[in-house]
Amino acid sequence: MSTSTLRPAAHGTSSASADSARRLDTSFESWGRFPKYPAHLVPMHWQQEFPANIQGLHNGALPVGMGRSYGDSCLLKDGNLIVTTAMNRLLSFDPETGILTAEAGMTLAQILDFAVPRGFFLPVTPGTKYVTLGGAVANDIHGKNHHVAGTFGNHVTEFELVRSDGSHRRCSRTENPDWFGATIGGLGLTGVLTWVSLRMRPIVSRAIDYEGIQFHGIDEFLALTEEYKHVEYTVSWIDCASTGKNFARGIFMLGEHAQVPGDLKPSSEPKLVFPVEAPGFALNHTTVSAFNTVFFHKQRKPRVQSLQDYEPFFYPLDAVLRWNRLYGKSGLLQFQYAIPWESARQGTIAILTEVAKSGLASFLAVLKAFGDVPSPGLLSFPQPGITLALDFPIKAGLTFPLVERLADMTRDFGGRLYPAKDAAMTADQFQTFYPQWRQLERFRDPVLTSSFWERVTGDRPNL
Amino acid sequence: MNSNNGNGAARSQGEPMKILVLGATSGIAEATCRLWAARGASLFLVARNSEKLAAVAADLKVRGASYVDTAVADLDDTSSHPTLLTHAINSLTGMDVAYLAHGILGDQPRAEQDFVVAEQILHTNFVSVVSMLTWLANYCVQRHSGVLAVLSSVAGDRGRKSNYLYGASKAGLSAFLGGLRNRVDREGVTILNIKPGPVKTGMTSHMKGSEKFADVNVVAKAIVKAVDKRYDVLYVPFQWGPIMFVIQHIPERIFKKLNL
C-alpha cells in the first residue's frame, strides 16, 4: 500500500496555509532518540480541539504524549504529531471507590502528585512516571506487579475515544467493548483519547517494604519467582555482561506498600538533568561490565531489607532528567521480549548467552516473570512467562544485527517483542508476533498512523 | 457585605482565600489557579468559552478548591463589567484577590495594515482591563484591603517592531497600574504588575522557538508567591528584570536599527 492511501487528508477543506503555518522539525524525539524524524507539531490543549485541529492537514496524524516510547511508535515521519500533554485536567475523583478520571495528556507523575497525599497510588506503574495516561493506555503498559495485577488496561474502567470523523465513543467493558479492547494497547491508532477513568489503589504511606536478594543463574531466579509469587512487586536486575560462574547473576527485588501509616507528602521535583550528550565511546564493554559488577556488589550481603521511598523503588532513573543523553547522539536501542513458560527458561538462557557472546553489553537489564491475568487489549504485549528488557548503545554494524538475531530467537521460542520499545523488528517478525494486527487495522482511524505501524505493516499483500 | 480583617491575601488558615479570576482559561491563569485550588481557595472564574471554562472549573474543584463558580462573558463588553463583578463578589461573599489574566496576542502584521485589528488588541488588553480595574480598585479602597494582580508583559517595557501593538497595550496598562498603585497603596490595596517573559502556553505554542519558553508552572508558582508577599512588580522568570533593564537603556539611535 502506498503512503498516500495510508495517509489520506483529514476531513474538511484542504488548506495549504494551515500546513505551511506549522513547523516541520525534529524537536519531538522518542526516548531512544533513534530514529529521528521531522514532523509538524499540533499542540492540543482542550478535548474539543480534535478533529478540527488536523482539518485539511496532509500526511496523517498521531496522538503523542511524553515521547517515552523508545522507538518509532510515537513518531510519524513528515506527518502531524498531536501533542496532548497540555490537555491534563482532572475530571473527577471519588475517594470511596478510588476511581479517578483525567484528561489523557495528564502524566502519571501529575496523577501521583494529586493522589499520594490523598492516600492513593497508581494500580500499575511502569519504570518512569513521565508518561501520559493516554500513552499508558495506548501501550497497555505493565509494571512490577504484573504477576498479580495484570496490565494498566486491567484497571481502566472507561474512556472516551474521538475519531477523525468527529464521532465520540464512551468505551468500557460493557459499552463499545470491541473499541475498548482495540484501543488498549492500540498504539494510539484507533482515535484520540480525551479522558480516561482508572481505579487507583489505597496506600497509607509513601514507603515501600523492600528486600533485595542476590541470585546466581536463571534457575535461582525462577525459584525466587515461585517463592515470592504472592508479593505485590517483584523485578530483577540482571548482569548480562558476565560469563562463566557469574553468568546471569542478579538481584531479585521485592516490594510491598508499607502497612504502617507514614508520610504521604507529594514528591519533590528532580534536580538533576543529564547536561550534555555523552561521547559515543562512553558506554563500552569495559565501562558497562564495571558498572554491572559494582551494581551487583553494591548490595554487600546476599539479602538486604529496608524501608524505601517509592521514588527510588519504582523510578530510579527519573531522578536524572534526560538520562537518555548518556547514550550519545546516536541513541539507544531497546529490546524487550515476553517468552511463554514452555520455553521461557531455555529462551532466556539462550538469549543471555547470545548477548554475552556479542560483546555488546546492556547497561541495564531487567528480568521479570509475567503473570496470567489476561490483558483486555487486543494487541497487548504481556503474556504469561518471562520478560527481559535490554538496552544497547547504537554501534554501527553491531547493534542492529544482534537485535535482529535476538528477535528471530524470540520468535523461535514462541515469544514476542514490545512495540513501545522497538525500532528494529521486521514486518515479518511483527506479523508473526501479533497475528491479530489485522483486527487492529480494522479499528484504526483512517487518518491516524505511526512510523512504527507503516514499518511493521508495510508488506501487506492482502490489503 | 461582611467587613474584612484587612489582611488581604495573607489570611488565616481557617478561611479560604476568595479569588476572582478573569480570563481563567488562559494557560498562565489556569496553572496559577491549580496552586490556589490545592490550598483550598474559593474561586470565581470568568472566560469566554463555556466548554473550556467547565473543564477548568471541574479540575480546580477536584484539586481541592473549597468553592468554584463560573460565568461565561466576553470582557470586551465593558458595559457588562459592573453587573458581572457584583455577581462574582456576591457569589464569593467577598473578594481578597482579583487576578486579571485575560488578553490576546493579536496579529501584528495585520494590525500594521488595519486599524480595526490594532484597536481590538488595545481594547481587549488595555481598555477592558482599565474598566475592570476602575471598578475593582474602588471596591478595594472602600474596604482598605485586597490585591489586584494584573498580567502585563515584558513586551510593554519597550516597543519592538515584531509586536508593538501588543507591547503598546501592555505599556499603557503598566503606566495605568503605576498610577493606580500610587493612588491606592496608601489605602491598603496592592497593585501587582506581573511581567512574564515568553511562556509556553496555548497563546504561544505556534511561535518559533516556543519549546524554549518558560515553563508555565514555574511562572504560576512565582505569581502565587508575589500575591502572598504583596509585590508591586514581578518579572518572571526573574532574569527578565535585568534583561529588560538593559533593553530599556539601549539608545534609540541604536535600538531603531535592531531586529527585535
Side-chain angles (χ1 to χ4, degrees):
Chain A
M1 183 186 261
S2 73
T3 298
S4 60
T5 44
L6 193 56
R7 297 185 183 187
H11 289 260
T13 42
S14 172
S15 133
S17 66
D19 268 354
S20 60
R22 293 193 158 85
R23 299 163 284 145
L24 190 66
D25 64 34
T26 53
S27 64
F28 192 94
E29 292 179 342
S30 67
W31 196 244
R33 307 181 74 205
F34 176 88
K36 287 179 186 171
Y37 293 140
H40 299 286
L41 302 185
V42 182
M44 183 164 170
H45 292 79
W46 305 95
Q47 294 179 38
Q48 300 78 21
E49 283 174 359
F50 182 81
N53 58 358
I54 58 158
Q55 209 169 62
L57 297 180
H58 298 281
N59 260 338
L62 178 69
V64 296
M66 296 290 282
R68 250 43 176 205
S69 294
Y70 283 79
D72 51 0
S73 65
C74 60
L75 300 176
L76 181 58
K77 187 168 186 273
D78 301 328
N80 302 284
L81 297 178
I82 304 164
V83 186
T84 58
T85 46
M87 189 175 73
N88 59 12
R89 296 171 195 89
L90 288 161
L91 278 74
S92 64
F93 176 63
D94 181 352
E96 296 297 314
T97 59
I99 291 180
L100 178 143
T101 303
E103 289 179 340
M106 194 166 198
T107 64
L108 301 190
Q110 291 164 340
I111 291 179
L112 288 170
D113 284 346
F114 171 80
V116 168
R118 288 166 172 80
F120 284 89
F121 200 78
L122 294 162
V124 164
T125 180
T128 171
K129 57 180 182 171
Y130 298 121
V131 299
T132 62
L133 201 45
V137 173
N139 294 288
D140 197 17
I141 56 167
H142 56 272
K144 297 172 171 55
N145 59 354
H146 183 273
H147 59 290
V148 289
T151 62
F152 195 82
N154 286 107
H155 306 270
V156 170
T157 55
E158 196 181 8
F159 53 75
E160 183 187 62
L161 186 70
V162 182
R163 303 269 292 179
S164 64
D165 61 10
S167 62
H168 290 233
R169 282 181 183 79
R170 283 174 86 113
C171 307
S172 67
R173 280 167 189 78
T174 50
E175 195 174 356
N176 293 307
D178 47 345
W179 289 95
F180 187 75
T183 301
I184 293 175
L187 300 170
L189 303 173
T190 59
V192 169
L193 283 168
T194 48
W195 54 261
V196 178
S197 294
L198 76 158
R199 195 185 301 273
M200 305 287 287
R201 56 112 60 227
I203 53 168
V204 295
S205 166
R206 290 178 61 92
I208 299 285
D209 277 320
Y210 169 79
E211 185 169 2
I213 305 169
Q214 288 180 345
F215 65 84
H216 294 83
I218 295 302
D219 290 327
E220 282 187 29
F221 162 77
L222 290 171
L224 289 166
T225 297
E226 178 59 25
E227 186 180 349
Y228 293 105
K229 66 182 176 193
H230 300 300
V231 173
E232 186 168 1
Y233 301 106
T234 63
V235 70
S236 296
W237 164 82
I238 185 167
D239 174 1
C240 57
S242 297
T243 51
K245 72 177 170 52
N246 288 334
F247 177 73
R249 66 177 173 178
I251 297 173
F252 191 86
M253 296 178 268
L254 306 95
E256 275 183 334
H257 289 285
Q259 298 298 307
V260 183
D263 198 352
L264 284 172
K265 68 175 193 299
S267 298
S268 50
E269 306 266 320
K271 297 266 185 318
L272 299 173
V273 182
F274 203 86
V276 289
E277 284 172 341
F281 56 80
L283 288 183
N284 56 47
H285 195 267
T286 311
T287 56
V288 171
S289 297
F291 169 82
N292 277 266
T293 300
V294 169
F295 197 100
F296 184 78
H297 290 291
K298 193 181 72 170
Q299 174 170 331
R300 303 244 168 140
K301 291 178 289 187
R303 241 169 223 268
V304 293
Q305 280 184 315
S306 65
L307 205 60
Q308 249 188 24
D309 188 75
Y310 76 73
E311 286 283 340
F313 181 74
F314 288 114
Y315 315 117
L317 293 172
D318 282 350
V320 184
L321 298 174
R322 306 198 64 175
W323 60 262
N324 53 351
R325 287 175 171 174
L326 173 64
Y327 287 84
K329 68 167 183 278
S330 52
L332 75 140
L333 203 58
Q334 268 263 345
F335 174 84
Q336 183 172 358
Y337 69 67
I339 296 181
W341 283 120
E342 303 87 88
S343 34
R345 179 183 175 276
Q346 194 195 352
T348 300
I349 292 171
I351 285 175
L352 283 171
T353 307
E354 185 69 24
V355 172
K357 207 169 71 185
S358 75
L360 257 183
S362 168
F363 190 57
L364 273 178
V366 176
L367 188 67
K368 166 156 184 68
F370 277 148
D372 51 13
V373 181
S375 301
L378 179 61
L379 219 71
S380 294
F381 160 68
Q383 57 180 346
I386 289 183
T387 185
L388 174 68
L390 304 168
D391 47 35
F392 300 105
I394 295 178
K395 307 255 184 200
L398 288 174
T399 313
F400 283 92
L402 171 66
V403 166
E404 191 172 344
R405 270 199 316 279
L406 300 182
D408 280 336
M409 293 171 75
T410 302
R411 179 174 56 188
D412 296 344
F413 287 112
R416 60 191 180 209
L417 300 183
Y418 191 7
K421 293 196 172 176
D422 178 77
M425 71 174 123
T426 63
D428 195 40
Q429 287 166 339
F430 173 76
Q431 296 181 17
T432 313
F433 295 146
Y434 298 97
Q436 68 274 37
W437 74 270
R438 284 176 199 282
Q439 280 168 270
L440 180 62
E441 177 64 18
R442 284 198 283 276
F443 286 96
R444 185 172 66 83
D445 188 302
V447 175
L448 304 183
T449 184
S450 65
S451 286
F452 173 84
W453 197 248
E454 293 186 342
R455 173 164 64 85
V456 300
T457 64
D459 304 309
R460 292 178 292 175
N462 300 332
L463 279 169
Chain B
M1 208 145 291
N2 292 335
S3 71
N4 188 270
N5 62 10
N7 282 336
R11 307 273 296 217
S12 60
Q13 286 273 317
E15 207 178 342
M17 208 155 100
K18 296 168 179 174
I19 307 172
L20 164 66
V21 185
L22 305 178
T25 56
S26 91
I28 296 179
E30 186 181 7
T32 317
C33 289
R34 286 185 183 184
L35 300 176
W36 280 325
R39 290 184 183 180
S42 290
L43 299 161
F44 190 96
L45 313 173
V46 182
R48 252 180 320 192
N49 181 304
S50 61
E51 280 180 325
K52 293 178 181 179
L53 186 57
V56 171
D59 174 75
L60 297 175
K61 190 83 193 148
V62 178
R63 282 174 198 276
S66 15
Y67 176 79
V68 181
D69 193 4
T70 62
V72 177
D74 182 352
L75 299 178
D76 282 350
D77 176 13
T78 53
S79 68
S80 71
H81 289 185
T83 325
L84 176 67
L85 293 172
T86 310
H87 171 61
I89 288 170
N90 285 337
S91 173
L92 287 172
T93 64
M95 185 195 82
D96 304 309
V97 178
Y99 182 31
L100 288 79
H102 61 294
I104 55 171
L105 195 55
D107 184 337
Q108 170 71 23
R110 280 186 57 219
E112 288 168 15
Q113 308 300 325
D114 183 352
F115 174 69
V116 176
V117 178
E119 190 180 22
Q120 178 65 57
I121 297 172
L122 296 173
H123 185 83
T124 303
N125 291 354
F126 180 63
V127 176
S128 146
V129 185
V130 168
S131 159
M132 281 290 179
L133 285 171
T134 302
W135 201 97
L136 287 167
N138 291 332
Y139 168 81
C140 291
V141 164
Q142 245 175 24
R143 298 165 15 123
H144 301 289
S145 79
V147 178
L148 303 180
V150 186
L151 267 190
S152 178
S153 168
V154 293
D157 283 2
R158 191 154 192 185
R160 297 173 295 131
K161 73 171 183 181
S162 59
N163 69 349
Y164 63 83
L165 274 147
Y166 177 78
S169 69
K170 296 298 193 183
L173 184 57
S174 286
F176 179 85
L177 293 174
L180 183 65
R181 181 184 304 112
N182 191 217
R183 178 191 136 209
V184 302
D185 184 73
R186 63 200 67 185
E187 308 285 347
V189 181
T190 298
I191 304 294
L192 168 60
N193 182 355
I194 303 160
K195 297 184 179 184
V199 182
K200 240 182 284 175
T201 64
M203 188 161 104
T204 59
S205 60
H206 66 284
M207 288 166 74
K208 212 172 166 239
S210 64
E211 65 278 357
K212 296 193 184 77
F213 289 1
D215 181 73
V216 71
N217 296 313
V218 172
V219 173
K221 259 182 216 164
I223 292 172
V224 167
K225 184 179 165 199
V227 169
D228 285 344
K229 306 247 176 204
R230 296 173 153 261
Y231 289 0
D232 294 320
V233 179
L234 172 72
Y235 281 95
V236 58
F238 69 94
Q239 52 269 39
W240 282 97
I243 292 172
M244 293 320 293
F245 180 84
V246 171
I247 288 179
Q248 282 174 313
H249 288 83
I250 298 172
E252 198 56 60
R253 68 193 153 77
I254 298 170
F255 194 84
K256 68 185 179 187
K257 311 253 194 242
L258 300 177
N259 286 311
L260 290 168

